[in-house]
Amino acid sequence: MSQWKEHYTPDDLETVACPVCGNTHIRRIATEFSLNIVQCQMCGLLYVNPRPRDSEKNYWAPTRADMEKKYGAIFEGRKAHDRDNLYRSHLDTLAGYRPNGKFLDVGTHCGFFLRHTRGRGWDAEGVEPSPVLGELAREKFGLKVKTGALESAAFPDESFDVITLLDVIEHLHDVRTMLKEIRRIIKPDGVFFIKTPNGTYNYFKHIVFHNLLRRHNYDCFDAREHVAAYTVPTLTRLLNETGWQVIASMPSAPVQTYGSHIVKVVGRNILYTLAQIQHAASGQPGPFATDIILLAKKI
């Protein structure tokens, strides 16, 4: 299993073509922890190249003890999850498109998002590659969660009305296979909801911290975790090429971690307000949106 490192050797890495268009003509944008963030000269995608081998497996095998220590108070109901409000907001958005039906969350983790579907009219389940995380989702919250990759879950064709992919797509090495499998199992009129960090904001943050403030060690792209930094245009192109039509895009409210410095919390809220204003004016989330949401239907 791959592990996060301060420095990566050539043996840790693999060189790849652009995950969206397959082009190999690139220019380097930044370097974080010896990893190059590059931009495809054909479609504009920002991605890590060379990238760590199997970096997505960092999330597959945490120990149960680590998860109990980190999330014990949430499992026991003594503390809210710092994304609970965000999760409820996502479901409110989804309810405006498909308020009931069969619901699948891909990459369920411990079920913190999926548990909020209860009482909302959906028949919800999840799929999670990590045996430890899937077990905790079933045990702690009583959720219906399959363990394994989506492709191995063998869901029937056209079996879901809603499928969600929250903070997952940026980790995927074989993103096209995932999108095609989701297309196979969603109903013709089903709604696909994707939330991911905004590559335009990542680049904006890089310009501010690296070029203006000269903070060259600031982690702007999360390159050890995220193999790609999607924008609305690059993600739209990827969806179009895998059989999807984007029906809406919007900024997501930022993740506000409990205990964060007040300046960071206020700053993110200001950016979100600016992102909402820009979205209202232009229809695009823009560089102030820390995260983006796209909703799609299959063609």
Side-chain angles (χ1 to χ4, degrees):
M1 186 184 74
S2 175
Q3 296 291 334
W4 294 333
K5 297 181 178 182
E6 293 298 314
H7 180 82
Y8 290 80
T9 69
D11 290 341
D12 297 324
L13 305 173
E14 60 181 0
T15 300
V16 294
C18 173
V20 169
C21 71
N23 187 49
T24 57
H25 297 287
I26 57 176
R27 68 183 182 99
R28 187 178 66 83
I29 298 295
T31 301
E32 293 178 357
F33 304 102
S34 74
L35 298 172
N36 289 331
I37 296 88
V38 303
Q39 184 172 43
C40 175
Q41 295 295 84
M42 182 68 69
C43 72
L45 179 71
L46 298 163
Y47 66 103
V48 179
N49 193 31
R51 69 188 181 193
R53 300 179 188 275
D54 298 325
S55 60
E56 56 196 358
K57 292 184 179 178
N58 280 311
Y59 294 89
W60 289 13
T63 68
R64 184 181 176 95
D66 287 340
M67 295 297 99
E68 293 273 15
K69 181 178 179 181
K70 184 175 183 179
Y71 298 118
I74 301 173
F75 292 144
E76 295 166 11
R78 295 184 286 109
K79 179 182 176 182
H81 194 283
D82 56 11
R83 299 193 186 198
D84 279 345
N85 289 337
L86 195 58
Y87 291 152
R88 285 188 284 264
S89 173
H90 295 335
L91 293 172
D92 288 343
T93 297
L94 263 171
Y97 291 87
R98 186 55 54 89
N100 51 48
K102 291 196 66 178
F103 185 116
L104 177 68
D105 180 47
V106 180
T108 297
H109 199 262
C110 294
F112 298 124
F113 167 66
L114 191 62
R115 65 191 170 126
H116 289 292
T117 61
R118 286 176 171 147
R120 284 181 172 258
W122 290 300
D123 175 16
E125 60 186 292
V127 59
E128 167 55 48
S130 164
V132 170
L133 300 179
E135 178 183 302
L136 287 168
R138 292 187 291 269
E139 177 184 320
K140 300 297 185 179
F141 300 123
L143 296 168
K144 183 180 179 182
V145 176
K146 285 190 175 185
T147 295
L150 176 63
E151 294 80 4
S152 66
F155 291 113
D157 290 352
E158 299 183 353
S159 52
F160 292 99
D161 298 280
V162 175
I163 298 180
T164 55
L165 199 64
L166 271 65
D167 298 310
V168 171
I169 196 168
E170 65 272 14
H171 298 277
L172 297 177
H173 284 215
D174 188 4
V175 63
R176 285 178 176 267
T177 295
M178 170 77 80
L179 294 176
K180 289 176 181 178
E181 179 65 4
I182 292 173
R183 187 180 184 280
R184 181 186 71 79
I185 63 175
I186 201 167
K187 293 181 181 180
D189 58 349
V191 175
F192 181 28
F193 180 102
I194 304 173
K195 183 256 183 180
T196 185
N198 180 13
T200 304
Y201 171 74
N202 295 141
Y203 187 64
F204 168 71
K205 187 164 61 170
H206 165 73
I207 295 296
V208 171
F209 283 93
H210 288 249
N211 295 2
L212 300 180
L213 300 181
R214 302 297 180 182
R215 292 182 60 181
H216 299 295
N217 293 325
Y218 200 84
D219 191 3
C220 296
F221 289 91
D222 293 322
R224 293 179 295 178
E225 299 182 55
H226 301 166
V227 298
Y230 294 99
T231 62
V232 171
T234 55
L235 187 51
T236 297
R237 174 169 176 164
L238 177 61
L239 288 166
N240 290 162
E241 292 182 359
T242 50
W244 296 93
Q245 177 185 1
V246 174
I247 58 174
S249 64
M250 63 197 72
S252 171
V255 175
Q256 297 285 22
T257 304
Y258 293 144
S260 292
H261 194 282
I262 187 63
V263 173
K264 183 178 287 188
V265 172
V266 172
R268 286 175 175 170
N269 285 336
I270 291 172
L271 288 173
Y272 181 51
T273 299
L274 292 173
Q276 290 177 301
I277 292 171
Q278 183 168 20
H279 182 252
S282 68
Q284 295 294 323
F288 302 124
T290 60
D291 299 84
I292 52 176
I293 293 169
L294 274 72
L295 293 99
K297 290 187 176 182
K298 69 178 181 182
I299 301 171

